[in-house]
Amino acid sequence: QGIEFSVDQNTSHILGYGINHETMANDFEYQEITTNIREAKRARAKKMCKKSQEEPIVMEDKNGNNYEVSLTIQDMDKLVHGRAIYTGHFGVKIAEKVKENLGVTIDQYEATMLFFKASKYDKYATKTISEIDPCYNPEKVDGEKTLLDYVRIEQGKKNWQVKEDKTAYPTAFQAIFLIHNHGGIAIIAHPDEGTTRERVEKYLQLGADGIEVYSPKNNGGTPYYQRLVEKYNLIATAGTDWHGQTYSPDKILRMTNAPTQLNWGEIKCT
C-alpha cells in the first residue's frame, strides 16, 4: 500500500510504497501533519466560499432563467466527509450546478480547470454542447451553442481563488522518516514537476530510496534520473500521478515509457 506526501511547502512530493497503514495511522506525528493540512485546506475553502458569495458564477438557460452559483463551507464539508478540501472538490460542485441548471454534463476535472485554473476556456468556447454532452437537456440549452454561451466567466480568471497556507505541509525529512518508520520505501515523485535537481540530490541525502524515473510529467529529465539510480543503486519506479476522477482522469491511460514492469514482490523493504 502507498501514500504520497506533498512536502516543503508543496514544492515537491514523496511517495511511500509498502508502508504499514495501520501503524502509520496511529503515529502521533502523522496525525498532527494530516490534521494541520486538513485545517489549512478547510480554512482556505471557507475563504473561497465567502468569495463565491461575493462573486457568484452566473448561468442562464435558453429560457432566460438566471442562476447565481455560490457555495457554502457546509456544501464542501458534506462532500468530503472529514477529508481535506481541495480545489478539485469545488470542480465537483460546479459540475453538479452546470448539470442542475443547464442540463449539461461536464467532466469534473475539466470543470475545475475551466472555472478555477484558467484553463480549457478555448475548448468550451468553441466546442458545441452536443459535442461535449450528447445527452444534454434540449429544454434548457441549444446543442449547437457552446457552454460559454450560457455561463458567464472571464477568460484567464481563476474564480474564487485564495492562496493556501503552505506552511502546513511536512518537510521532506519528516515524510521520509515516517515512511521508513512504518516499513516503506521513499520515492521522489515526478521530479521534473516542481522539484529541482538540487532538491532531488538533497532528498537522496536525506534517505530517499529511489526516484520516479518514468512519468509523463518528467519533461526530458528521464535520462538524468536513470543515471542517478544506476550510480547510487537506487530504486527506479514508474507512475502516472493519477489522483482519481476529480483531478486527473486522463493520466491513468497515459504512458510512462518505462522499459519494464516489476511486481511488488521483487522489491524488498529493509
Side-chain angles (χ1 to χ4, degrees):
Q1 298 188 60
I3 192 170
E4 180 171 359
F5 285 99
S6 298
V7 301
D8 293 344
Q9 300 194 19
N10 202 20
T11 57
S12 305
H13 297 85
I14 303 292
L15 298 164
Y17 288 108
I19 61 173
N20 184 322
H21 274 274
E22 186 175 344
T23 60
M24 182 175 277
N26 292 315
D27 187 300
F28 174 77
E29 185 175 6
Y30 173 77
Q31 292 173 347
E32 185 176 40
I33 288 169
T34 53
T35 297
N36 289 343
I37 292 173
R38 277 197 303 271
E39 289 177 352
K41 293 285 187 185
R42 190 177 186 277
R44 176 176 178 256
K46 196 171 183 178
K47 292 177 183 177
M48 289 179 68
C49 289
K50 185 175 185 295
K51 288 191 78 172
S52 82
Q53 308 291 327
E54 299 164 352
E55 305 171 9
I57 293 170
V58 178
M59 303 178 186
E60 182 179 356
D61 66 23
K62 74 176 188 180
N63 303 307
N65 297 309
N66 275 277
Y67 308 93
E68 290 194 348
V69 176
S70 60
L71 297 171
T72 67
I73 192 62
Q74 289 76 23
D75 293 329
M76 306 312 297
D77 285 338
K78 287 178 184 177
L79 179 64
V80 301
H81 302 292
R83 300 190 304 273
I85 304 171
Y86 288 84
T87 306
H89 294 118
F90 282 84
V92 171
K93 297 303 293 184
I94 288 295
E96 288 177 0
K97 294 296 184 181
V98 171
K99 178 66 174 177
E100 176 186 333
N101 298 333
L102 302 177
V104 179
T105 300
I106 62 172
D107 181 87
Q108 295 171 350
Y109 173 70
E110 293 207 344
T112 303
M113 302 306 289
L114 176 63
F115 288 92
F116 305 112
K117 302 286 189 178
S119 177
K120 305 289 183 182
Y121 187 94
D122 289 342
K123 174 180 176 177
Y124 284 90
T126 55
K127 277 202 168 188
T128 65
I129 286 171
S130 61
E131 290 176 306
I132 292 168
D133 176 20
C135 299
Y136 73 93
N137 186 345
E139 294 183 3
K140 289 180 173 284
V141 293
D142 181 346
E144 296 309 304
K145 290 191 174 182
T146 72
L147 183 68
L148 296 186
D149 287 323
Y150 298 99
V151 179
R152 298 177 202 164
I153 58 173
E154 296 176 29
Q155 185 171 12
K157 182 178 180 180
K158 298 179 180 180
N159 294 283
W160 310 344
Q161 281 303 293
V162 174
K163 287 185 178 181
E164 66 174 325
D165 176 12
K166 295 186 176 183
T167 62
Y169 292 102
T171 64
F173 175 80
Q174 287 176 298
I176 293 168
F177 174 81
L178 276 170
I179 291 165
H180 286 165
N181 206 35
H182 296 283
I185 57 172
I187 303 294
I188 303 164
H190 41 75
D192 272 1
E193 186 191 48
T195 307
T196 63
R197 294 187 180 182
E198 289 76 15
R199 274 206 298 268
V200 168
E201 300 210 18
K202 172 189 170 184
Y203 296 161
L204 293 176
Q205 291 171 4
L206 290 175
D209 304 289
I211 304 170
E212 193 175 56
V213 173
Y214 307 102
S215 166
K217 291 187 169 184
N218 284 350
N219 302 314
T222 296
Y224 172 74
Y225 303 124
Q226 286 174 320
R227 289 194 296 271
L228 269 186
V229 298
E230 290 168 5
K231 179 178 179 180
Y232 297 111
N233 195 28
L234 305 170
I235 298 168
T237 67
T240 60
D241 196 38
W242 189 67
H243 280 261
Q245 198 70 17
T246 306
Y247 300 97
S248 45
D250 61 318
K251 288 179 184 171
I252 196 168
L253 298 176
R254 292 173 67 184
M255 300 300 291
T256 63
N257 296 318
T260 59
Q261 292 183 336
L262 295 178
N263 293 321
W264 173 248
E266 296 179 43
I267 299 174
K268 305 295 184 184
C269 296
T270 57

